[in-house]
Amino acid sequence: MEEAFPPTVPDTGSEWPWNRPPPVPSTHYLDNRIYTDPAVFAREREHIFKQQWKFVCHESELPQPGAYRCVDVADVPLFVVRDEAGELRAFFNICPHRGARLLREVRGQLQGHRLTCFYHHWSFSSSGQAVALPLPQGYQAQAIAAKDIGLRSVRIASRLGLVFVRIEDGARPTSLDEFLGPALDQLAEPIADLEVFHYHRVEIKANWKLFVETNCEGYHELLHLLNRTTALSQREYLKRKWLLHPGGHHTFQPANIAYGKLNLQDRNDGTLPGMSPNMHIVTDVFPDVMINARSTVVRIDSLIPLAPDRTVLECRGLAPRGDSEAQRRLRIRQHNEVWGPMGRNLPEDIWAIETQWPGMARGKLPFSLIAREDDDQATDDSPLRSFYARWEKLTGLRAFDIDAAGLAAQEVAK
Amino acid sequence: MNLEDRIHIHELILSSGMALDERRFEDYLALYAEAGEYLVTAHVPETASLGTWMDLDKDNLRRLLESADRHTWNTGERLHQISAPVFTLEAGEVRTISVFSVFRIDEVGESRLYAVGHYHDIWVRTDRWLLKRRVARLASRHLTPPSAMPL
């Protein structure tokens, strides 16, 4: 029998200790200041978003040499471009001369593999080398020449079409493959040859981790009419397992969704390679990438944290290349049925977490629970605990008490 | 198409917004032909294409509206403001374009703009004028917080 939550306050005079650490292991609750404290946010930006591989776009958004895509990571404007040889490169989208924004459209195509700053017309090749400084005689006295100047580059790598960058190396830099480990193995077939057909972004009035958490536990599926009707209602679904990978990544093992229970159509036609009709797979890549595959179509969410209480959610929809017009229309319908800004599911997650953040701000609810244990099955909180174990390692903070000393020093000493 | 038809179609366009605002979903559905379609599109710079954010036939539109009250995104009132339409006659079909704005009113009565765009409607006449296809082409791309309710 499921336990009641929130626990009922008994009328015996005793109460749940809302203002004190709950009587569970420290791994099983959170100090809610991790969501609201500006200093924690700043530390996350430096130690997680700048020093870890960060998903920025899909290779299909850069279809040919000279194609570029502007992105933001940890408050740093970047652009990703395919150079003349077709290699992916990433640079600060900042002119090294006087700091102007180099590329101002969110995506586009470089003309002649050259980009020119609109301000003083310094120009650069698609490999980042300065190629011309107008009126160069003015720099001769200081021996400044185009051949010595380049854009600030950023590490970039891709796997299965997903493009990642890393702004800073940090103390223990890893390759993208080391960073990902086996996290994407489950998706290797379904996402190997896709293209982006959908993009939208939503600014959420809540901390970024609250959105991540919606994809790290199945318990919240009770929130969603679609999920509780087509998923949780199946006894077998509750046995669906989470696999916890090193590095804070997780995969939610395949399950079959009973779309018919909500009078929605089954997803029999055009299933992705390696998937069967109505199959659902979830993969979370630490810290902020959530990949959902629903047999015929894939959604990739990623986050741009702006402030403790403001987060941009970027959502992409992907489908196989080479679809017929009718097949693509069907996939778009299936995508939008659940996801997209007007899907049944995504808006509910946003509603939910936008109610959470103010409840946690300014000490109104100092602690929250991640205490469910169910053998890593669907509604276990173990993926959340895995996420926060990684978060602690990178930030040097304790998620159960951000004032707790020791971890940062221990980690630095290792 | 005479002046009377124009006035009637204009009234139907206005009534579509009122039916949604007042959650009279059966009345809203009754505006559509049996083969009617409802779409929401938006130009998306990130994909350099016209994105389709909703694409429903009448049956699926009905299913969505029938379950609307069971979803969690339906709190708050809405108000549609719709302009007079521009009419064109094309291949025997009446087409209209009108500007719409959707406002949201929260629980304490504060209103704010949620979305703006154009309705691109195609009308057919059986025993009465019916919507064959409505495309709500959004100028807004940032719906916050979003909702699956038709615009």
Side-chain angles (χ1 to χ4, degrees):
Chain A
M1 187 178 159
E2 292 278 306
E3 69 273 27
F5 186 83
T8 46
V9 178
D11 58 5
T12 57
S14 64
E15 291 190 354
W16 180 256
W18 300 110
N19 293 314
R20 299 189 304 279
V24 295
S26 62
T27 50
H28 286 47
Y29 68 92
L30 298 168
D31 175 346
N32 287 339
R33 291 177 297 170
I34 65 169
Y35 304 109
T36 62
D37 189 308
V40 172
F41 181 82
R43 198 171 182 89
E44 291 173 336
R45 180 173 273 179
E46 293 303 315
H47 294 269
I48 296 177
F49 285 95
K50 283 188 178 171
Q51 295 183 10
Q52 298 298 300
W53 287 101
K54 170 78 175 79
F55 170 79
V56 288
C57 66
H58 189 263
E59 283 201 46
S60 65
E61 296 172 69
L62 303 151
Q64 66 280 317
Y68 69 84
R69 180 79 167 82
C70 294
V71 297
D72 286 285
V73 176
D75 205 29
V76 178
L78 304 174
F79 70 93
V80 179
V81 63
R82 273 196 199 277
D83 68 15
E84 279 190 89
E87 295 298 313
L88 292 172
R89 293 174 178 267
F91 301 100
F92 278 42
N93 190 11
I94 296 173
C95 182
H97 173 217
R98 299 280 291 160
R101 189 176 180 89
L102 284 168
L103 292 168
R104 289 170 293 157
E105 303 292 332
V106 70
R107 69 177 288 170
Q109 180 71 31
L110 298 182
Q111 300 303 311
H113 287 280
R114 181 179 282 212
L115 62 150
T116 300
C117 179
F118 70 95
Y119 200 178
H120 299 94
H121 292 206
W122 283 29
S123 59
F124 304 85
S125 71
S126 57
S127 57
Q129 173 64 47
V131 291
L133 314 183
L135 305 173
Q137 66 276 16
Y139 287 122
Q140 283 175 359
Q142 299 301 326
I144 295 171
K147 66 180 177 54
D148 301 321
I149 296 171
L151 300 178
R152 184 170 171 184
S153 65
V154 171
R155 290 187 193 284
I156 186 167
S158 70
R159 183 156 165 197
L160 296 170
L162 310 183
V163 180
F164 293 78
V165 301
R166 192 177 69 215
I167 292 180
E168 293 177 1
D169 284 346
R172 290 184 292 274
T174 56
S175 69
L176 179 61
D177 282 346
E178 288 172 315
F179 169 77
L180 291 170
L184 294 183
D185 289 357
Q186 171 174 255
L187 287 166
E189 275 193 87
I191 71 169
D193 190 25
L194 303 182
E195 62 183 3
V196 171
F197 66 82
H198 172 96
Y199 175 93
H200 82 277
R201 56 197 281 155
V202 184
E203 185 172 324
I204 305 172
K205 296 180 185 67
N207 186 265
W208 67 276
K209 297 186 293 298
L210 293 173
F211 189 83
V212 171
E213 291 170 9
T214 66
N215 241 45
C216 286
E217 48 94 348
Y219 195 35
H220 90 287
E221 293 192 82
L222 287 163
L223 158 73
H224 300 295
L225 172 65
L226 185 136
N227 299 51
R228 64 179 182 261
T229 309
T230 65
L232 284 178
S233 63
Q234 305 175 79
R235 187 174 295 274
E236 281 301 305
Y237 188 87
L238 294 172
K239 297 177 183 171
R240 187 180 186 182
K241 281 269 193 176
W242 286 99
L243 282 184
L244 311 181
H245 303 295
H249 315 305
H250 326 113
T251 49
F252 205 9
Q253 294 287 276
N256 286 316
I257 305 301
Y259 292 99
K261 289 192 169 192
L262 199 57
N263 291 321
L264 302 175
Q265 289 179 343
D266 285 329
R267 299 181 176 204
N268 299 320
D269 298 329
T271 53
L272 299 171
M275 297 196 80
S276 55
N278 298 335
M279 183 189 280
H280 181 219
I281 301 174
V282 178
T283 295
D284 300 325
V285 177
F286 186 93
D288 70 321
V289 185
M290 295 142 283
I291 306 171
N292 271 269
R294 282 185 179 263
S295 62
T296 57
V297 70
V298 171
R299 160 189 169 190
I300 300 177
D301 291 349
S302 56
L303 300 170
I304 305 174
L306 301 177
D309 61 344
R310 287 197 304 134
T311 304
V312 169
L313 165 66
E314 295 186 292
C315 300
R316 289 169 167 82
L318 298 96
R321 301 169 196 270
D323 273 344
S324 67
E325 192 176 327
Q327 182 68 66
R328 180 56 58 91
R329 187 178 185 191
L330 179 60
R331 288 191 208 277
I332 293 173
R333 283 181 161 184
Q334 291 169 337
H335 172 274
N336 293 341
E337 192 167 73
V338 183
W339 306 320
M342 304 189 71
R344 288 171 177 261
N345 174 296
L346 176 69
E348 292 182 323
D349 281 325
I350 295 171
W351 271 108
I353 69 169
E354 287 197 343
T355 72
Q356 270 180 293
W357 196 88
M360 293 172 165
R362 289 179 289 281
K364 290 191 283 289
L365 181 69
F367 303 99
S368 51
L369 288 171
I370 51 171
R372 291 181 62 80
E373 292 188 18
D374 191 17
D375 194 25
D376 292 339
Q377 295 186 116
T379 68
D380 198 320
D381 283 337
S382 55
L384 292 172
R385 293 189 288 273
S386 159
F387 174 91
Y388 281 105
R390 182 65 179 160
W391 181 92
E392 288 186 336
K393 191 173 179 65
L394 293 172
T395 62
L397 298 170
R398 293 289 197 185
F400 65 89
D401 180 359
I402 64 170
D403 293 329
L407 186 66
Q410 290 169 23
E411 288 303 310
V412 168
K414 277 184 188 173
Chain B
M1 186 174 55
N2 56 35
L3 181 59
E4 196 173 297
D5 288 328
R6 285 174 180 257
I7 292 170
H8 184 56
I9 288 174
H10 187 182
E11 287 176 346
L12 292 175
I13 293 169
L14 297 179
S15 69
S16 69
M18 292 175 67
L20 286 173
D21 293 342
E22 294 166 10
R23 305 178 74 79
R24 290 183 285 104
F25 298 141
E26 277 305 317
D27 292 346
Y28 180 75
L29 289 164
L31 296 167
Y32 286 81
E34 277 314 299
E37 294 178 312
Y38 174 80
L39 291 90
V40 177
T41 65
H43 175 70
V44 181
E46 290 84 356
T47 57
S49 63
L50 190 68
T52 301
W53 289 357
M54 193 171 260
D55 179 0
L56 302 173
D57 60 24
K58 190 173 180 179
D59 282 344
N60 280 311
L61 182 58
R62 174 177 284 110
R63 288 190 194 105
L64 176 64
L65 292 171
E66 283 175 351
S67 62
D69 289 335
R70 297 166 65 200
H71 279 283
T72 311
W73 27 254
N74 284 316
T75 57
E77 295 175 37
R78 300 196 310 176
L79 186 143
H80 282 69
Q81 186 177 49
I82 306 173
S83 77
V86 174
F87 286 82
T88 55
L89 203 56
E90 197 172 303
E93 294 176 331
V94 173
R95 296 177 180 233
T96 58
I97 299 176
S98 45
V99 180
F100 71 87
S101 310
V102 181
F103 296 85
R104 274 188 174 157
I105 301 98
D106 68 18
E107 62 273 15
V108 296
E110 188 171 328
S111 58
R112 62 181 180 75
L113 189 59
Y114 173 58
V116 295
H118 292 90
Y119 289 138
H120 292 249
D121 294 337
I122 301 176
W123 299 88
V124 291
R125 184 167 202 166
T126 52
D127 57 331
R128 59 199 167 101
W129 287 105
L130 292 168
L131 267 171
K132 177 182 175 186
R133 182 179 171 93
R134 163 165 284 184
V135 180
R137 188 171 297 178
L138 284 168
S140 312
R141 295 196 310 279
H142 196 167
L143 304 176
T144 181
S147 150
M149 285 295 287
L151 297 166

